[in-house]
Amino acid sequence: MGGVLHIYNEASFAAADFSGASVGGSLYVDGAAFSALLDARRLKVGGALRIYNGASFAEAYLSDASVGGSFYVDGATFSGSLDARRLKVAGILYISNGASFAEVMLEDASVEAYVAILDSRVTGKFYARRLEADKGIFMHDSEFAEVSLGAARVGSELSLNGSRFRGDFFAGGIEVNDNFLAQENAEFTNVSFSDAEVKGAVALGGAKVSGLLDAGRSKIGGTLYLSDAGPFNQVNLQYASIGGSLNAIGSKFTGDFTADGLKVANDIFLRSPEEGESGFSEGVKTEFATVRLVGALVGGDIDANGALFSGPLMMSRMKVDGTVTLSDKAQLTSVDIVDSTIGGSLAMSGSSFSGPVDARGLKVASSLNLTGDSKFADVNLSGTSVGGDINAEGSAFKGEFRAHGAKVDGNVFLRGKAEFAEVNLMDASVGGVLDASGSRFTGQFNADRLKVGGGVYLRDKAEFAGVDLLGASVGGDLSAIGSRFTGPFTADGLTVGGNVFLRDKAEFAGVRLLGASVGGVVQMLGSTFAGPVDMTGLTTSELALWHGAQGDPKWGKDSSLTLRNAHIAALQARIPESWVRADGTPLQLDLQGFRYDRLGGLGSGAEGDLSRIGDAAPLIAWIEAAGDSGGQATGHAPQPYFQMESVLRTMGAGPAADEVAFARHLHRMDHYGNTLRDWVAWAGEWVWRLLVGFGVYPFRLLWWFTALVVLGTILGRRTGALCTQGWLGCFWYSLENAFPLMEPGRRNRDLFHDHPAVRSFFHFQKIAGFVLGTILVGTLTLLGN
């Protein structure tokens, strides 16, 4: 037929067969009714095909039909199936104005313009697999049951705005050359565009998906908008690729949000709207259940500020070129970011985490911030590498804060009245400082083998249960000024390049610095030590127990101080004030092997330099108190005396050194046993003491020699042989006789004493003089050596 075919609304047909027909012009079905089958398979229409004005059909077959113009279905009703498989339309396929269908089949159809389905309804299946629409597909404000656009090709935009899909919407493998839009309150049960390729954006802003949103393995050239929408149930973005950003601001996700292996060129926005942000109602929160971004690759940032996560947030093995923020009152349960890499910073500030934060092996190029009064359960940063700082100022950690083996190029800030339970920094490495000033630690602070390039600050009224710094290395100062330690402070093998400050009203239960090495000073001024302080093997330039207004340490009734084998360049203390407990009893000391090069060092006056003390009795009492208090080994322990004597002589305090040396010999005499050999030795010591003061005072022999000469002078004056020579003659006789190296004069050499007692005395005098002279020479020789 070469012209136009127009079927008017008065026409009524049971069935009509146009199969294989050809209409050279247009075909109009204007209100006609077909109560049975309309068979128009292979129909060829040279112009437009228009079905309108209330036309109705039972079933219509248009498969393999060809329309040279546009195909309009305007308000028509199809109570059965419209089968238009392989239909070819040169213009528009336009379905509108309340058109309704039981089923539509457009598989393998081809439309050179666009497909528009507006304000229409399909109660059954809408199958358009492999449909080709060169100018786009628009399915607006319509209702559908089950829809399939699998492997369809859309030359421009695919838009589903305002439509309602009661069944599954399947668009797996679809190709869309522009945007894929499903906005303006579109509603879905299940949506799938897995393996799809969309060159523009995918926008579901304002949509609701009660079932699964599946975009797994899809490729999206622009941004994926899931913002201001929902509730969504399950979302699958596994191994999808997004050329723009992923935007879920202001939406609600009640099921799993799964995006393992997702690739996003720009940012991922999972945050809540900011206050006053355009397009969002006031107080709206973005809500998630479980979120998985395992192995995701993100070219920009991940922003989840202010969002609510009722399930775990899993981001292990993720790579983010920008920053990750979970801040601004975000609420999360557990966070898994194990072995992930972040090119910027990770911020978890001002938020709450009711479950564990597992960040083992995390690499952060910039800083890791846990600040802003955040609340955490367990935090695991073991093996983490941070290019900037770890900052936890002011936050609360109810569980373990674990950073075992972490490597931090910057600083670690645990300060600012933060609250911690157990802290584990074992084997960690910090390039800057570790600052825990002013915070509270109710569990063990374990930092064994910690390496810190700068200082370690545990000061400013911080509170600790126990501190372990065994084998730690600190490049700067270790400062515990003014803080409180209710458990032991243990730092065996500690190495400090700067100073160790345990001063200024700090309180310690016990301190151990066994084998520690301190490049600067160790100060304990004005602090309280309730338990034992063990500094065995300590090496430092100065140990300061007193300085001016800071005062002496306050020792408790159970305190003691062990300095066994310690080596200190300068010892600054008051004696005895620095070594007395609060109850007035002497402090238990162990000074065995304790070496120091000088006394004093924190002042130029006599009160700051123990070597300038006029009386060595306090120094001797200090050494003796160490032995009596049970601190050092019982029995003969001369080393503390030797050490004090050596230092005093080096510093020019010779008389005080002699007093200490004399006390050392008395100490030896006090510790002889009850054997005959010990008694003989004790007697010899007693004689040695009597004659030359144990060799300390060798010239005491001169007094004995003088007494011997004087006694001889008196006896000689009373004998017949010398009485005629006068006192001077008797003196010279007594001196010549007593002095072993002096040859008597001729008159005195042959002198004979007739009284036996006098004769015996002068024999004794000669022998005694020889013995005293020999002892004097030997003592002087020993002292010289």
Side-chain angles (χ1 to χ4, degrees), residues 478-759:
L478 170 59
S479 176
I481 293 174
S483 293
R484 186 174 179 227
F485 300 81
T486 57
F489 185 100
T490 307
D492 298 352
L494 172 69
T495 301
V496 179
N499 308 300
V500 175
F501 297 125
L502 311 178
R503 69 184 192 201
D504 294 340
K505 300 182 180 179
E507 299 179 21
F508 296 89
V511 176
R512 276 187 24 166
L513 291 169
L514 275 67
S517 175
V518 181
V521 305
V522 177
Q523 295 184 351
M524 304 168 66
L525 318 169
S527 291
T528 299
F529 299 88
V533 176
D534 193 342
M535 295 183 175
T536 298
L538 170 69
T539 302
T540 182
S541 64
E542 182 173 297
L543 175 61
L545 302 182
W546 173 84
H547 182 243
Q550 292 168 309
D552 304 292
K554 297 176 176 62
W555 306 101
K557 62 183 181 63
D558 298 320
S559 59
S560 62
L561 177 58
T562 300
L563 292 169
R564 179 180 288 265
N565 299 323
H567 185 192
I568 295 169
L571 174 62
Q572 175 70 27
R574 293 199 299 169
I575 294 178
E577 291 88 349
S578 297
W579 314 89
V580 178
R581 292 172 173 152
D583 60 6
T585 60
L587 176 66
Q588 179 178 315
L589 295 172
D590 188 341
L591 303 178
Q592 277 300 306
F594 177 37
R595 294 179 298 143
Y596 44 94
D597 300 333
R598 63 184 182 278
L599 297 169
L602 278 178
S604 59
E607 75 283 357
D609 189 351
L610 292 178
S611 68
R612 296 173 63 179
I613 192 167
D615 183 4
L619 303 177
I620 297 168
W622 173 61
I623 298 173
E624 292 175 345
D628 295 341
S629 64
Q632 62 192 42
T634 57
H636 183 216
Q639 189 275 336
Y641 296 90
F642 277 119
Q643 176 64 45
M644 179 67 74
E645 178 187 354
S646 173
V647 169
L648 290 175
R649 291 197 192 282
T650 301
M651 299 181 71
D658 290 343
E659 291 184 50
V660 174
F662 189 84
R664 168 168 54 83
H665 289 283
L666 291 179
H667 167 72
R668 183 173 61 227
M669 289 184 66
D670 289 341
H671 289 86
Y672 279 122
N674 293 318
T675 65
L676 176 61
R677 181 177 179 180
D678 286 343
W679 276 107
V680 172
W682 182 90
E685 289 274 10
W686 188 88
V687 173
W688 184 245
R689 171 190 177 186
L690 190 64
L691 294 177
V692 290
F694 303 112
V696 175
Y697 303 109
F699 294 104
R700 185 176 290 182
L701 276 170
L702 297 179
W703 292 106
W704 286 106
F705 187 81
T706 300
L708 190 64
V709 171
V710 170
L711 182 58
T713 301
I714 295 173
L715 288 176
R717 185 77 176 90
R718 295 182 179 275
T719 65
L722 292 173
C723 62
T724 60
Q725 296 187 21
W727 286 106
L728 184 60
C730 291
F731 168 75
W732 286 113
Y733 176 81
S734 180
L735 178 62
E736 290 175 354
N737 190 68
F739 197 67
L741 300 180
M742 183 178 290
E743 180 70 24
R746 177 177 300 178
R747 184 176 59 179
N748 292 336
R749 186 168 54 242
D750 299 328
L751 194 65
F752 178 78
H753 302 283
D754 52 2
H755 195 286
V758 174
R759 189 167 58 249

Side-chain angles (χ1 to χ4, degrees), residues 169-172 190-196 209 211-218 234-238:
F169 180 93
F170 178 77
N190 297 314
V191 180
S192 175
F193 51 99
S194 57
D195 299 295
V209 181
L212 171 65
L213 170 60
D214 185 2
R217 301 176 303 280
S218 61
Q234 289 185 313
V235 175
N236 179 22
L237 292 172
Q238 292 189 85

Side-chain angles (χ1 to χ4, degrees), residues 246-294:
L246 168 58
N247 188 333
I249 299 173
S251 297
K252 184 176 182 180
F253 300 83
T254 58
D256 292 348
F257 187 101
T258 305
D260 295 349
L262 173 67
K263 295 180 181 179
V264 180
N266 293 324
D267 305 319
I268 294 180
F269 297 108
L270 309 179
R271 64 175 174 86
S272 291
E274 297 175 354
E275 186 176 351
E277 186 171 352
S278 177
F280 297 95
S281 301
E282 195 69 27
V284 169
K285 293 285 187 181
T286 303
E287 298 183 29
F288 296 90
T290 297
V291 175
R292 292 181 59 96
L293 287 164
V294 176

